Amino acid sequence: MMIYHTTVKAAGSDVAAFAKKGFFITFGEPALVSLKDFCYFVEVNPVMGEIKPGSRLVIDGNEYRITEVGSIAAENLGKLGHLTVFFHEDRECLPGSICVEKSRMPELKAGSRISIIE
């Protein structure tokens, strides 16, 4: 079941800085000025179900099992297109983020498709 889907429209000039640390940030436009260079800009779409551990994040056809979900992640995602996704397990899952099983972070670009499925 599809819980959420969006498409990357553009990338900030410094997204590689966070990619090297194993995470990325999405935002619908406009993003906070302090974050705009570090974000992937996405279409803002509603969240159509509960995002929970065991759900799967799908990026351009590659699946990643969600291990933790922050307390305001779904709300921020549905209202602002804002989400931080961590691809490592050595830090706390922040309120506006999701953590997925440890893996190499995929390369996102304009046109990349991001989904969350049950």
Side-chain angles (χ1 to χ4, degrees):
M1 179 180 95
M2 180 73 64
I3 297 171
Y4 178 79
H5 68 87
T6 192
T7 302
V8 175
K9 299 191 309 185
S13 60
D14 289 330
V15 291
F18 287 167
K20 289 177 186 171
K21 296 180 180 188
F23 70 97
F24 69 84
I25 299 173
T26 65
F27 241 113
E29 295 181 65
L32 300 172
V33 172
S34 60
L35 286 178
K36 70 179 185 65
D37 291 337
F38 302 98
C39 293
Y40 291 94
F41 297 99
V42 298
E43 300 168 348
V44 178
N45 292 318
V47 175
M48 301 169 289
E50 182 185 359
I51 303 169
K52 58 189 175 197
S55 299
R56 293 179 312 281
L57 173 71
V58 183
I59 299 174
D60 293 333
N62 298 305
E63 287 192 19
Y64 307 89
R65 188 176 58 81
I66 296 173
T67 58
E68 288 185 70
V69 180
S71 60
I72 59 171
E75 180 182 349
N76 283 352
L77 186 58
K79 289 182 179 176
L80 306 170
H82 174 51
L83 185 67
T84 303
V85 179
F86 291 101
F87 285 82
H88 49 78
E89 298 162 338
D90 59 350
R91 75 167 12 167
E92 161 185 8
C93 196
L94 302 171
S97 67
I98 63 171
C99 298
V100 299
E101 60 193 341
K102 185 174 182 169
S103 61
R104 187 166 175 237
M105 197 184 101
E107 290 185 33
L108 290 118
K109 58 192 176 304
S112 286
R113 307 241 338 128
I114 300 171
S115 303
I116 298 173
I117 61 174
E118 189 58 45

